[in-house]
Amino acid sequence: MIKSRNGLTAAGLSVLGTFLVLLAFTTKSWLVTDGKLKNPEFERLGLWVVCFKGFKDPRHWYDTRFHNCWWVFEEEYYTISDIVFKDFYIATQFFFTDCVFLTVFGLFYTIVYVYLNRAYIGYVKILLSAGILNIAAAICSSIALIIFGVYGKNRQWMPHWEHNDIGWSYGVAVAGTIALYVSGVLYVIEQQLHKVKPENMATQRANYNYEANDLIHSSLTAV
């Protein structure tokens, strides 16, 4: 089960990318306040959690203030759901969730690759599957990151938009996406190498047999 350096690097980056993507997916620092306000109504936000500190409906429809960190689907947030769930935020959740699922499936193929013998008939397909899944996950993540990066500081979204910054969870997602891109490309390269190697061996074997037959034929002719 000896693996090439290229394959081991792809596997390592796949594991790293999965860890970083899951970390970004579950943490609540995609958007954070810069700390320059004494009493910010908004503190931080992740894909599934938002933290307020005395936030009140700016439309004054409901006389309710929101404090602490809550899951975005909590019943208490129903009255401001249209404020929290902007189209770009939902799109970010959708594409990054797709990324997580694809990454997990890719990690499964990585584990299979690490423990599988190269003599296995489906070895090349496993390499290709791992590569495609990681690249697809990275593409979904890239879409989510671009959308959130463009609209995350929208002045029509969280209060005091000028004091809101992209947080470390977003940076972790970027790092994970890069790792997945590189891992996917390395897997595809490894797959091509293993695909070409048997073909070259078959060609060499055919050439050897042809030369041997030619030599035998020449020897018989000489006799």
Side-chain angles (χ1 to χ4, degrees):
M1 295 192 296
I2 299 176
K3 310 297 179 184
S4 68
R5 182 178 299 178
N6 182 73
L8 291 176
T9 302
L13 288 173
S14 178
V15 174
L16 176 63
T18 302
F19 171 75
L20 293 176
V21 163
L22 290 176
L23 182 63
F25 186 72
T26 55
T27 51
K28 50 190 177 185
S29 292
W30 280 63
L31 187 71
V32 298
T33 183
D34 60 10
K36 295 180 180 180
L37 290 175
K38 291 184 178 180
N39 297 301
E41 294 180 83
F42 165 76
E43 290 187 322
R44 62 182 63 246
L45 170 141
L47 293 182
W48 311 105
V49 176
V50 59
C51 302
F52 290 124
K53 190 176 182 180
F55 176 75
K56 189 176 181 179
D57 183 359
R59 300 161 302 189
H60 305 289
W61 291 357
Y62 304 94
D63 189 20
T64 303
R65 289 190 178 274
F66 299 91
H67 299 272
N68 301 322
C69 298
W70 295 76
W71 188 42
V72 293
F73 296 108
E74 284 288 348
E75 185 178 352
E76 286 78 2
Y77 279 166
Y78 174 76
T79 57
I80 58 170
S81 61
D82 59 325
I83 297 176
V84 175
F85 288 101
K86 297 295 186 182
D87 291 342
F88 76 88
Y89 183 55
I90 296 173
T92 301
Q93 290 176 316
F94 174 78
F95 283 107
F96 205 78
T97 300
D98 288 345
C99 167
V100 169
F101 280 118
L102 291 169
T103 301
V104 171
F105 284 126
L107 182 63
F108 168 77
Y109 279 98
T110 291
I111 295 173
V112 173
Y113 160 70
V114 170
Y115 287 98
L116 198 63
N117 193 298
R118 284 186 289 184
Y120 179 68
I121 191 170
Y123 191 78
V124 172
K125 290 183 179 179
I126 289 173
L127 286 170
L128 182 60
S129 297
I132 291 176
L133 286 169
N134 281 350
I135 293 174
I139 291 173
C140 288
S141 177
S142 297
I143 296 173
L145 291 170
I146 291 171
I147 292 173
F148 195 84
V150 172
Y151 297 104
K153 295 185 65 175
N154 190 329
R155 64 178 63 196
Q156 302 298 326
W157 195 30
M158 291 298 151
H160 306 295
W161 63 272
E162 69 277 11
H163 289 283
N164 297 334
D165 294 323
I166 299 297
W168 64 265
S169 296
Y170 184 92
V172 168
V174 171
T177 301
I178 294 172
L180 290 175
Y181 269 124
V182 178
S183 173
V185 171
L186 290 178
Y187 269 130
V188 172
I189 292 174
E190 187 74 3
Q191 180 262 344
Q192 288 297 316
L193 292 175
H194 282 280
K195 182 180 179 180
V196 171
K197 189 180 296 183
E199 294 176 356
N200 290 340
M201 292 178 62
T203 301
Q204 293 175 0
R205 189 179 298 109
N207 291 336
Y208 175 79
N209 291 336
Y210 176 80
E211 292 175 357
N213 291 333
D214 187 60
L215 180 61
I216 293 172
H217 178 73
S218 299
S219 299
L220 293 175
T221 303
V223 173

